[in-house]
Every structure is written in C-alpha cells, then in structure tokens.
Amino acid sequence: MFAEKIFAIAHYADQVVLFVLLIMSIVSIAMIFERFMSLKKISGESERIRARLRMALQTNSIQDFEDIAKDPTSLEGRAASHALKHLKTHGEKGFEEVFNTFVLTEKPELEKYLPVLATISSNAPFIGLLGTVLGIMKAFNDLAQATDAGQQTVMAGISIALVATAAGLFVAIPASMFFNYFTRKVRAILSSIESVKELGLAYSKMKGQ
C-alpha cells in the first residue's frame, strides 16, 4: 500500500523536481549577475588602492594614508577616513578597532547572496538525482503495468529521467564556479582593507611620536 503511494508520487514528482531546478536556475543567474556587477566596481576601486599602497611602500611615504582617507569612492578610503577622524579626535587608542568594526559592518554586504549560491551549488545535484530516481521508478512501474510494453518503453523513460540529473548539474556547476570566484574577490577586497589598516597603524605611530 505504501509502495503504491510512492509510485503515485513518482508519476508527478519528477516533473516537480525539474520545475524546482528551473526556479533555482533563475534565482542563481539573478544573484550571479547582481554580485558580478556589484563586486566588479568595488574590486576595481580596491585594485586602484592596492596600486597606491605599493607606491607608498616603494617610496616609504606613510603620509599617503591621508590621501587614501580622502577617497570616498572605495571601501578602503572610507575605512581610512573613519580611522583618521578617530585618530584626530581620540588619539591612537582604538584606532585599529575602528578598522575592524568597519570590516564587520561591510563584510555581510560583500558576501550578499554567496551563502545562497553555495547552497544551490551543493544541493542542486542531489535534487536532480532525486528526480532521476523518481523518473526511473515511474518507467519501471509503467513497464510492470503495461505488459505489452517493451525495452524501448523502459529506455525512453530512463532517458527522460536522466534529464533531471543533467539539469541539476547544469544549475550547480555555474553556481559553484561563481561562488568560488566571488569568494576570491571578497577575500582580495578584505585583504586590501587590512593593508590600509597596517599603513594606518604605521601612520598613527608616526603621529604619536
């Protein structure tokens, strides 16, 4: 009795799985596009700041921290601006904590949608596999009920069922690739802010002398 209910569900659930994968694909593409456009701009500004940091190190010009703090278009510049205001108002104490607080505030925005992409990339293949299993169950159940059905009927049903596995991989692979790509971008941006913080610490110590 219970098995009959499972087979009854299998007759419809494999199509539901394909619909779920379609929705996941649309959501994934939308998130990838949004993150790509957002991080592209932020990453571009971050690369420009890293170039200024390299120049400051080569020329041993710690004073460049003030110039970076005047740049409101980059996350590094805004972090440096907050820290510089704190330095002028309260001194060196708490200077590093201002940077850390800024990172904690901005990090969720940088990582926006990334947990969802990670979930889609890890679960879409299993959802596709579920659809394939249900489709194969449906194919063999149809064969059992139709005594005149031959090998071609079973093979046709199995081939249709395998579409779910292919769909799951089709959804998961781009989500996984872009999740890794965006994670590297976020890590590079946070590393750049950390570099500005180190320059700021050197600047604060120089001012404190």
Side-chain angles (χ1 to χ4, degrees):
M1 186 70 178
F2 181 74
E4 292 179 358
K5 291 182 179 180
I6 296 295
F7 281 115
I9 293 173
H11 273 267
Y12 302 99
D14 58 335
Q15 299 300 316
V16 173
V17 166
L18 287 175
F19 179 76
V20 170
L21 288 172
L22 176 62
I23 297 299
M24 291 175 68
S25 177
I26 294 172
V27 171
S28 177
I29 291 171
M31 290 180 176
I32 288 170
F33 180 78
E34 191 279 336
R35 282 295 83 193
F36 181 83
M37 299 305 296
S38 297
L39 292 178
K40 181 181 179 181
K41 181 179 179 180
I42 297 173
S43 182
E45 295 293 338
S46 185
E47 289 177 4
R48 181 172 58 82
I49 294 297
R50 284 197 294 274
R52 295 183 65 175
L53 286 172
R54 284 192 291 269
M55 185 63 67
L57 291 174
Q58 291 172 1
T59 59
N60 196 26
S61 179
I62 300 176
Q63 294 285 349
D64 282 0
F65 179 76
E66 292 184 2
D67 295 331
I68 294 174
K70 296 176 183 178
D71 184 2
T73 60
S74 65
L75 288 178
E76 294 87 346
R78 292 198 292 274
S81 177
H82 290 311
L84 188 59
K85 289 178 183 177
H86 177 87
L87 180 64
K88 292 179 178 179
T89 306
H90 303 287
E92 187 178 344
K93 186 176 181 180
F95 181 84
E96 184 175 0
E97 284 73 12
V98 172
F99 269 98
N100 295 338
T101 302
F102 183 85
V103 170
L104 291 175
T105 302
E106 294 294 330
K107 190 176 180 180
E109 183 62 28
L110 291 174
E111 295 179 341
K112 186 178 180 182
Y113 301 137
L114 295 193
V116 181
L117 283 177
T119 301
I120 290 175
S121 67
S122 60
N123 288 285
F126 294 107
I127 295 174
L129 182 60
L130 173 63
T132 295
V133 171
L134 293 173
I136 292 174
M137 289 172 58
K138 176 183 176 182
F140 279 104
N141 188 53
D142 290 342
L143 177 63
Q145 291 182 353
T147 56
D148 57 338
Q151 183 180 1
Q152 291 182 347
T153 302
V154 178
M155 297 305 293
I158 292 175
S159 63
I160 293 174
L162 288 173
V163 171
T165 297
L169 294 173
F170 179 78
V171 174
I173 290 173
S176 178
M177 291 176 59
F178 278 99
F179 170 78
N180 292 329
Y181 172 77
F182 294 145
T183 299
R184 289 195 299 271
K185 286 288 186 182
V186 170
R187 192 180 298 121
I189 293 168
L190 295 178
S191 177
S192 181
I193 297 175
E194 185 70 19
S195 298
V196 172
K197 182 182 79 172
E198 295 299 324
L199 182 65
L201 287 172
Y203 173 84
S204 66
K205 290 177 181 178
M206 182 187 70
K207 287 294 184 179
Q209 291 178 353

